[in-house]
Amino acid sequence: MTTSSERSHGEQGTKASRGTRQEDVEDGEPPSLGKGLQSRPAAESTGLEATFPKATPWTQAAPLAGVGSPTEEQDILPADCAASASGSSTDDLDLGIEFSATATWGDELGLVEERPAPCPSPQAPFPRLGWDDELRKPGAQVYMHFMQEHTCYDAMATSSKLVIFDTMLQIKKAFFALVANGVRAAPLWDSKKQSFVGMLTITDFILVLHRYYRSPLVQIYEIEEHKIETWREIYLQGCFKPLVSISPSDSLFEAVYTLIKNRIHRLPVLDPVSGAVLHILTHKRLLKFLHIFGTRLPGPSFLSRTIQDVGIGTFRDLAMVLETAPILTALDIFVDRRVSALPVVNEAGQVVGLYSRFDVIHLAAQQTYNHLDVSVGEALRQRTLCLEEVVCCQPHETLGEVIDRIVQEQVHRLVLVDETQHLLGVVSLSDILQALVLSPSGIDALGA
């Protein structure tokens, strides 16, 4: 069954401890590490509820010049993080994005018709000149240390909504619930095992559409009648991965590393004792946490460098789709390139929109998944709900300005364009968190 509830905190003692923590946040102070986990019951969350104070734009906050002396050296990668990274090969697709390709995904049963080739991507004009030099400057590790010193508990919302599905739920109802609640994924509870076994994501739906749309053996409308358990075990045939999770006492540095390393967009925070899901961390929430409290830290000099100078983002071999291409072509690119959104370009190469994985889930809600020959441009014009419009930036803008905009617009990426709206690149939340938090430690989780 689907669980979607607001959890209220009735115990007076708990309210008092939460009130103190909430006041700390509202005053703009980073949460103290001294507050134990026992002072607060499980909070349910998927979104960016108003638990953070209003942020000061980084371009107006601390000086952008390097500080006089570097922060004291600390362990770059916590032991728990190193252990979890080496012991897990989980590449969950979510929504969230984007994993290592597998041979299974490449199988296309019955897909015999040729599809239009994606638009060729432009050459990258922005090599990463001077980025290594920036990372060696004093103060470059300030955000890395900040995330190491704060825990996942500090970034958790005090109260919010969490949607959980039982694996015995009918798949059609589950996808309707995702759309109705505006979420892209939900933890899966196996009542037989009495534990959480994974996440149901929009990517699951995309994989099945991609594989069986033109198969003479399987009808899509028959698949949606099955339970989630059957959907995962039979139709996904091993594409799903074990649940990747984190403890509330683990550092935010480890959370960033786990999200980027495993190519996932949602990281459940599990109670180490009960195994209950307390919260779901995302790139967006982690960057917002850092953006708010980072304004009180001395700003690294690289924030004043332009995107063109530092080369943060993707500029070569870009994944994109022509507005005249059918939806099926977009599904092919989602699966083959493991991306979560595609810039939509016209015949002249100008950006005219953004087609994301969440747009695909509306095919299930509207029961139009048997009409994947409709063009992407037409699908964008017909969609009834758009959670993320295309937001652009230009090469001359600084990294600090780009971070301010991506946080204020609450999007997952900025599309880099020139003065004539021609596509140049994409700057994602993963790119930014890698640059701010992991690169100063010498870790390249994006390239791993």
mmCIF file with all atom_site columns, all heavy atoms in Angstrom, residues 101-119:
data_model
loop_
_atom_site.group_PDB
_atom_site.id
_atom_site.type_symbol
_atom_site.label_atom_id
_atom_site.label_alt_id
_atom_site.label_comp_id
_atom_site.label_asym_id
_atom_site.label_entity_id
_atom_site.label_seq_id
_atom_site.pdbx_PDB_ins_code
_atom_site.Cartn_x
_atom_site.Cartn_y
_atom_site.Cartn_z
_atom_site.occupancy
_atom_site.B_iso_or_equiv
_atom_site.pdbx_formal_charge
_atom_site.auth_seq_id
_atom_site.auth_comp_id
_atom_site.auth_asym_id
_atom_site.auth_atom_id
_atom_site.pdbx_PDB_model_num
ATOM 1   N N   . ALA A 1 101 ? 26.316 1.723  -17.721 1.00 0.00 ? 101 ALA A N   1
ATOM 2   C CA  . ALA A 1 101 ? 25.508 0.962  -18.652 1.00 0.00 ? 101 ALA A CA  1
ATOM 3   C C   . ALA A 1 101 ? 25.691 -0.521 -18.381 1.00 0.00 ? 101 ALA A C   1
ATOM 4   O O   . ALA A 1 101 ? 26.756 -0.975 -18.024 1.00 0.00 ? 101 ALA A O   1
ATOM 5   C CB  . ALA A 1 101 ? 25.924 1.286  -20.082 1.00 0.00 ? 101 ALA A CB  1
ATOM 6   N N   . THR A 1 102 ? 24.633 -1.314 -18.574 1.00 0.00 ? 102 THR A N   1
ATOM 7   C CA  . THR A 1 102 ? 24.727 -2.751 -18.431 1.00 0.00 ? 102 THR A CA  1
ATOM 8   C C   . THR A 1 102 ? 24.269 -3.397 -19.716 1.00 0.00 ? 102 THR A C   1
ATOM 9   O O   . THR A 1 102 ? 23.519 -2.831 -20.488 1.00 0.00 ? 102 THR A O   1
ATOM 10  C CB  . THR A 1 102 ? 23.835 -3.247 -17.282 1.00 0.00 ? 102 THR A CB  1
ATOM 11  O OG1 . THR A 1 102 ? 22.482 -2.989 -17.626 1.00 0.00 ? 102 THR A OG1 1
ATOM 12  C CG2 . THR A 1 102 ? 24.175 -2.551 -15.984 1.00 0.00 ? 102 THR A CG2 1
ATOM 13  N N   . ALA A 1 103 ? 24.721 -4.628 -19.896 1.00 0.00 ? 103 ALA A N   1
ATOM 14  C CA  . ALA A 1 103 ? 24.348 -5.321 -21.110 1.00 0.00 ? 103 ALA A CA  1
ATOM 15  C C   . ALA A 1 103 ? 22.860 -5.553 -21.163 1.00 0.00 ? 103 ALA A C   1
ATOM 16  O O   . ALA A 1 103 ? 22.249 -5.572 -22.212 1.00 0.00 ? 103 ALA A O   1
ATOM 17  C CB  . ALA A 1 103 ? 25.093 -6.652 -21.190 1.00 0.00 ? 103 ALA A CB  1
ATOM 18  N N   . THR A 1 104 ? 22.241 -5.701 -19.970 1.00 0.00 ? 104 THR A N   1
ATOM 19  C CA  . THR A 1 104 ? 20.808 -5.958 -19.932 1.00 0.00 ? 104 THR A CA  1
ATOM 20  C C   . THR A 1 104 ? 20.034 -4.795 -20.513 1.00 0.00 ? 104 THR A C   1
ATOM 21  O O   . THR A 1 104 ? 19.049 -4.978 -21.225 1.00 0.00 ? 104 THR A O   1
ATOM 22  C CB  . THR A 1 104 ? 20.365 -6.205 -18.480 1.00 0.00 ? 104 THR A CB  1
ATOM 23  O OG1 . THR A 1 104 ? 21.148 -7.258 -17.935 1.00 0.00 ? 104 THR A OG1 1
ATOM 24  C CG2 . THR A 1 104 ? 18.896 -6.585 -18.428 1.00 0.00 ? 104 THR A CG2 1
ATOM 25  N N   . TRP A 1 105 ? 20.444 -3.582 -20.166 1.00 0.00 ? 105 TRP A N   1
ATOM 26  C CA  . TRP A 1 105 ? 19.710 -2.414 -20.664 1.00 0.00 ? 105 TRP A CA  1
ATOM 27  C C   . TRP A 1 105 ? 19.808 -2.320 -22.181 1.00 0.00 ? 105 TRP A C   1
ATOM 28  O O   . TRP A 1 105 ? 18.959 -1.771 -22.845 1.00 0.00 ? 105 TRP A O   1
ATOM 29  C CB  . TRP A 1 105 ? 20.264 -1.136 -20.048 1.00 0.00 ? 105 TRP A CB  1
ATOM 30  C CG  . TRP A 1 105 ? 20.131 -1.093 -18.592 1.00 0.00 ? 105 TRP A CG  1
ATOM 31  C CD1 . TRP A 1 105 ? 19.439 -1.955 -17.796 1.00 0.00 ? 105 TRP A CD1 1
ATOM 32  C CD2 . TRP A 1 105 ? 20.718 -0.161 -17.704 1.00 0.00 ? 105 TRP A CD2 1
ATOM 33  N NE1 . TRP A 1 105 ? 19.555 -1.623 -16.499 1.00 0.00 ? 105 TRP A NE1 1
ATOM 34  C CE2 . TRP A 1 105 ? 20.337 -0.525 -16.399 1.00 0.00 ? 105 TRP A CE2 1
ATOM 35  C CE3 . TRP A 1 105 ? 21.524 0.955  -17.883 1.00 0.00 ? 105 TRP A CE3 1
ATOM 36  C CZ2 . TRP A 1 105 ? 20.735 0.188  -15.292 1.00 0.00 ? 105 TRP A CZ2 1
ATOM 37  C CZ3 . TRP A 1 105 ? 21.917 1.667  -16.777 1.00 0.00 ? 105 TRP A CZ3 1
ATOM 38  C CH2 . TRP A 1 105 ? 21.517 1.279  -15.487 1.00 0.00 ? 105 TRP A CH2 1
ATOM 39  N N   . GLY A 1 106 ? 20.888 -2.829 -22.724 1.00 0.00 ? 106 GLY A N   1
ATOM 40  C CA  . GLY A 1 106 ? 21.065 -2.697 -24.159 1.00 0.00 ? 106 GLY A CA  1
ATOM 41  C C   . GLY A 1 106 ? 20.148 -3.597 -24.955 1.00 0.00 ? 106 GLY A C   1
ATOM 42  O O   . GLY A 1 106 ? 19.960 -3.410 -26.149 1.00 0.00 ? 106 GLY A O   1
ATOM 43  N N   . ASP A 1 107 ? 19.582 -4.651 -24.302 1.00 0.00 ? 107 ASP A N   1
ATOM 44  C CA  . ASP A 1 107 ? 18.684 -5.536 -25.034 1.00 0.00 ? 107 ASP A CA  1
ATOM 45  C C   . ASP A 1 107 ? 17.412 -4.813 -25.397 1.00 0.00 ? 107 ASP A C   1
ATOM 46  O O   . ASP A 1 107 ? 16.795 -4.194 -24.553 1.00 0.00 ? 107 ASP A O   1
ATOM 47  C CB  . ASP A 1 107 ? 18.348 -6.765 -24.168 1.00 0.00 ? 107 ASP A CB  1
ATOM 48  C CG  . ASP A 1 107 ? 19.584 -7.582 -23.857 1.00 0.00 ? 107 ASP A CG  1
ATOM 49  O OD1 . ASP A 1 107 ? 20.562 -7.487 -24.632 1.00 0.00 ? 107 ASP A OD1 1
ATOM 50  O OD2 . ASP A 1 107 ? 19.559 -8.301 -22.861 1.00 0.00 ? 107 ASP A OD2 1
ATOM 51  N N   . GLU A 1 108 ? 17.004 -4.892 -26.595 1.00 0.00 ? 108 GLU A N   1
ATOM 52  C CA  . GLU A 1 108 ? 15.756 -4.275 -27.028 1.00 0.00 ? 108 GLU A CA  1
ATOM 53  C C   . GLU A 1 108 ? 14.929 -5.346 -27.715 1.00 0.00 ? 108 GLU A C   1
ATOM 54  O O   . GLU A 1 108 ? 15.168 -5.700 -28.856 1.00 0.00 ? 108 GLU A O   1
ATOM 55  C CB  . GLU A 1 108 ? 16.015 -3.122 -27.993 1.00 0.00 ? 108 GLU A CB  1
ATOM 56  C CG  . GLU A 1 108 ? 16.867 -2.026 -27.380 1.00 0.00 ? 108 GLU A CG  1
ATOM 57  C CD  . GLU A 1 108 ? 17.150 -0.950 -28.398 1.00 0.00 ? 108 GLU A CD  1
ATOM 58  O OE1 . GLU A 1 108 ? 16.482 -0.940 -29.432 1.00 0.00 ? 108 GLU A OE1 1
ATOM 59  O OE2 . GLU A 1 108 ? 18.047 -0.140 -28.157 1.00 0.00 ? 108 GLU A OE2 1
ATOM 60  N N   . LEU A 1 109 ? 13.968 -5.923 -26.986 1.00 0.00 ? 109 LEU A N   1
ATOM 61  C CA  . LEU A 1 109 ? 13.173 -7.003 -27.534 1.00 0.00 ? 109 LEU A CA  1
ATOM 62  C C   . LEU A 1 109 ? 12.169 -6.455 -28.520 1.00 0.00 ? 109 LEU A C   1
ATOM 63  O O   . LEU A 1 109 ? 11.277 -5.712 -28.163 1.00 0.00 ? 109 LEU A O   1
ATOM 64  C CB  . LEU A 1 109 ? 12.453 -7.741 -26.393 1.00 0.00 ? 109 LEU A CB  1
ATOM 65  C CG  . LEU A 1 109 ? 13.388 -8.334 -25.322 1.00 0.00 ? 109 LEU A CG  1
ATOM 66  C CD1 . LEU A 1 109 ? 12.574 -9.070 -24.288 1.00 0.00 ? 109 LEU A CD1 1
ATOM 67  C CD2 . LEU A 1 109 ? 14.396 -9.256 -25.962 1.00 0.00 ? 109 LEU A CD2 1
ATOM 68  N N   . GLY A 1 110 ? 12.303 -6.862 -29.744 1.00 0.00 ? 110 GLY A N   1
ATOM 69  C CA  . GLY A 1 110 ? 11.309 -6.495 -30.737 1.00 0.00 ? 110 GLY A CA  1
ATOM 70  C C   . GLY A 1 110 ? 11.442 -5.106 -31.308 1.00 0.00 ? 110 GLY A C   1
ATOM 71  O O   . GLY A 1 110 ? 10.591 -4.665 -32.063 1.00 0.00 ? 110 GLY A O   1
ATOM 72  N N   . LEU A 1 111 ? 12.457 -4.346 -30.906 1.00 0.00 ? 111 LEU A N   1
ATOM 73  C CA  . LEU A 1 111 ? 12.592 -2.987 -31.424 1.00 0.00 ? 111 LEU A CA  1
ATOM 74  C C   . LEU A 1 111 ? 13.402 -3.050 -32.715 1.00 0.00 ? 111 LEU A C   1
ATOM 75  O O   . LEU A 1 111 ? 14.628 -3.011 -32.700 1.00 0.00 ? 111 LEU A O   1
ATOM 76  C CB  . LEU A 1 111 ? 13.289 -2.096 -30.389 1.00 0.00 ? 111 LEU A CB  1
ATOM 77  C CG  . LEU A 1 111 ? 12.564 -1.981 -29.055 1.00 0.00 ? 111 LEU A CG  1
ATOM 78  C CD1 . LEU A 1 111 ? 13.359 -1.084 -28.120 1.00 0.00 ? 111 LEU A CD1 1
ATOM 79  C CD2 . LEU A 1 111 ? 11.177 -1.431 -29.263 1.00 0.00 ? 111 LEU A CD2 1
ATOM 80  N N   . VAL A 1 112 ? 12.719 -3.164 -33.816 1.00 0.00 ? 112 VAL A N   1
ATOM 81  C CA  . VAL A 1 112 ? 13.410 -3.404 -35.071 1.00 0.00 ? 112 VAL A CA  1
ATOM 82  C C   . VAL A 1 112 ? 13.444 -2.194 -35.985 1.00 0.00 ? 112 VAL A C   1
ATOM 83  O O   . VAL A 1 112 ? 14.220 -2.125 -36.910 1.00 0.00 ? 112 VAL A O   1
ATOM 84  C CB  . VAL A 1 112 ? 12.747 -4.586 -35.818 1.00 0.00 ? 112 VAL A CB  1
ATOM 85  C CG1 . VAL A 1 112 ? 12.898 -5.874 -35.037 1.00 0.00 ? 112 VAL A CG1 1
ATOM 86  C CG2 . VAL A 1 112 ? 11.262 -4.296 -36.055 1.00 0.00 ? 112 VAL A CG2 1
ATOM 87  N N   . GLU A 1 113 ? 12.584 -1.243 -35.722 1.00 0.00 ? 113 GLU A N   1
ATOM 88  C CA  . GLU A 1 113 ? 12.539 -0.079 -36.598 1.00 0.00 ? 113 GLU A CA  1
ATOM 89  C C   . GLU A 1 113 ? 13.668 0.875  -36.275 1.00 0.00 ? 113 GLU A C   1
ATOM 90  O O   . GLU A 1 113 ? 14.031 1.057  -35.117 1.00 0.00 ? 113 GLU A O   1
ATOM 91  C CB  . GLU A 1 113 ? 11.190 0.638  -36.457 1.00 0.00 ? 113 GLU A CB  1
ATOM 92  C CG  . GLU A 1 113 ? 10.025 -0.237 -36.881 1.00 0.00 ? 113 GLU A CG  1
ATOM 93  C CD  . GLU A 1 113 ? 8.731  0.555  -36.867 1.00 0.00 ? 113 GLU A CD  1
ATOM 94  O OE1 . GLU A 1 113 ? 8.804  1.788  -36.919 1.00 0.00 ? 113 GLU A OE1 1
ATOM 95  O OE2 . GLU A 1 113 ? 7.674  -0.062 -36.790 1.00 0.00 ? 113 GLU A OE2 1
ATOM 96  N N   . GLU A 1 114 ? 14.174 1.508  -37.296 1.00 0.00 ? 114 GLU A N   1
ATOM 97  C CA  . GLU A 1 114 ? 15.221 2.489  -37.082 1.00 0.00 ? 114 GLU A CA  1
ATOM 98  C C   . GLU A 1 114 ? 14.649 3.750  -36.499 1.00 0.00 ? 114 GLU A C   1
ATOM 99  O O   . GLU A 1 114 ? 13.532 4.127  -36.778 1.00 0.00 ? 114 GLU A O   1
ATOM 100 C CB  . GLU A 1 114 ? 15.917 2.808  -38.411 1.00 0.00 ? 114 GLU A CB  1
ATOM 101 C CG  . GLU A 1 114 ? 16.667 1.608  -38.983 1.00 0.00 ? 114 GLU A CG  1
ATOM 102 C CD  . GLU A 1 114 ? 17.427 1.999  -40.225 1.00 0.00 ? 114 GLU A CD  1
ATOM 103 O OE1 . GLU A 1 114 ? 17.305 3.174  -40.638 1.00 0.00 ? 114 GLU A OE1 1
ATOM 104 O OE2 . GLU A 1 114 ? 18.119 1.140  -40.788 1.00 0.00 ? 114 GLU A OE2 1
ATOM 105 N N   . ARG A 1 115 ? 15.465 4.421  -35.667 1.00 0.00 ? 115 ARG A N   1
ATOM 106 C CA  . ARG A 1 115 ? 15.023 5.654  -35.037 1.00 0.00 ? 115 ARG A CA  1
ATOM 107 C C   . ARG A 1 115 ? 15.928 6.782  -35.459 1.00 0.00 ? 115 ARG A C   1
ATOM 108 O O   . ARG A 1 115 ? 17.098 6.568  -35.753 1.00 0.00 ? 115 ARG A O   1
ATOM 109 C CB  . ARG A 1 115 ? 15.066 5.505  -33.510 1.00 0.00 ? 115 ARG A CB  1
ATOM 110 C CG  . ARG A 1 115 ? 14.177 4.367  -33.052 1.00 0.00 ? 115 ARG A CG  1
ATOM 111 C CD  . ARG A 1 115 ? 14.527 4.025  -31.618 1.00 0.00 ? 115 ARG A CD  1
ATOM 112 N NE  . ARG A 1 115 ? 13.864 2.779  -31.253 1.00 0.00 ? 115 ARG A NE  1
ATOM 113 C CZ  . ARG A 1 115 ? 14.377 1.882  -30.450 1.00 0.00 ? 115 ARG A CZ  1
ATOM 114 N NH1 . ARG A 1 115 ? 15.542 2.070  -29.904 1.00 0.00 ? 115 ARG A NH1 1
ATOM 115 N NH2 . ARG A 1 115 ? 13.714 0.784  -30.160 1.00 0.00 ? 115 ARG A NH2 1
ATOM 116 N N   . PRO A 1 116 ? 15.396 7.982  -35.438 1.00 0.00 ? 116 PRO A N   1
ATOM 117 C CA  . PRO A 1 116 ? 16.229 9.128  -35.834 1.00 0.00 ? 116 PRO A CA  1
ATOM 118 C C   . PRO A 1 116 ? 17.437 9.246  -34.929 1.00 0.00 ? 116 PRO A C   1
ATOM 119 O O   . PRO A 1 116 ? 17.327 9.071  -33.713 1.00 0.00 ? 116 PRO A O   1
ATOM 120 C CB  . PRO A 1 116 ? 15.281 10.323 -35.666 1.00 0.00 ? 116 PRO A CB  1
ATOM 121 C CG  . PRO A 1 116 ? 13.913 9.737  -35.721 1.00 0.00 ? 116 PRO A CG  1
ATOM 122 C CD  . PRO A 1 116 ? 14.018 8.360  -35.144 1.00 0.00 ? 116 PRO A CD  1
ATOM 123 N N   . ALA A 1 117 ? 18.559 9.538  -35.485 1.00 0.00 ? 117 ALA A N   1
ATOM 124 C CA  . ALA A 1 117 ? 19.772 9.704  -34.690 1.00 0.00 ? 117 ALA A CA  1
ATOM 125 C C   . ALA A 1 117 ? 19.720 11.017 -33.940 1.00 0.00 ? 117 ALA A C   1
ATOM 126 O O   . ALA A 1 117 ? 19.178 12.005 -34.425 1.00 0.00 ? 117 ALA A O   1
ATOM 127 C CB  . ALA A 1 117 ? 21.002 9.687  -35.611 1.00 0.00 ? 117 ALA A CB  1
ATOM 128 N N   . PRO A 1 118 ? 20.240 11.040 -32.694 1.00 0.00 ? 118 PRO A N   1
ATOM 129 C CA  . PRO A 1 118 ? 20.255 12.302 -31.948 1.00 0.00 ? 118 PRO A CA  1
ATOM 130 C C   . PRO A 1 118 ? 21.127 13.348 -32.617 1.00 0.00 ? 118 PRO A C   1
ATOM 131 O O   . PRO A 1 118 ? 22.049 13.023 -33.363 1.00 0.00 ? 118 PRO A O   1
ATOM 132 C CB  . PRO A 1 118 ? 20.827 11.885 -30.579 1.00 0.00 ? 118 PRO A CB  1
ATOM 133 C CG  . PRO A 1 118 ? 21.534 10.597 -30.826 1.00 0.00 ? 118 PRO A CG  1
ATOM 134 C CD  . PRO A 1 118 ? 20.825 9.922  -31.965 1.00 0.00 ? 118 PRO A CD  1
ATOM 135 N N   . CYS A 1 119 ? 20.812 14.584 -32.323 1.00 0.00 ? 119 CYS A N   1
ATOM 136 C CA  . CYS A 1 119 ? 21.547 15.697 -32.926 1.00 0.00 ? 119 CYS A CA  1
ATOM 137 C C   . CYS A 1 119 ? 23.010 15.635 -32.511 1.00 0.00 ? 119 CYS A C   1
ATOM 138 O O   . CYS A 1 119 ? 23.305 15.422 -31.339 1.00 0.00 ? 119 CYS A O   1
ATOM 139 C CB  . CYS A 1 119 ? 20.921 17.020 -32.462 1.00 0.00 ? 119 CYS A CB  1
ATOM 140 S SG  . CYS A 1 119 ? 21.772 18.477 -33.067 1.00 0.00 ? 119 CYS A SG  1
#
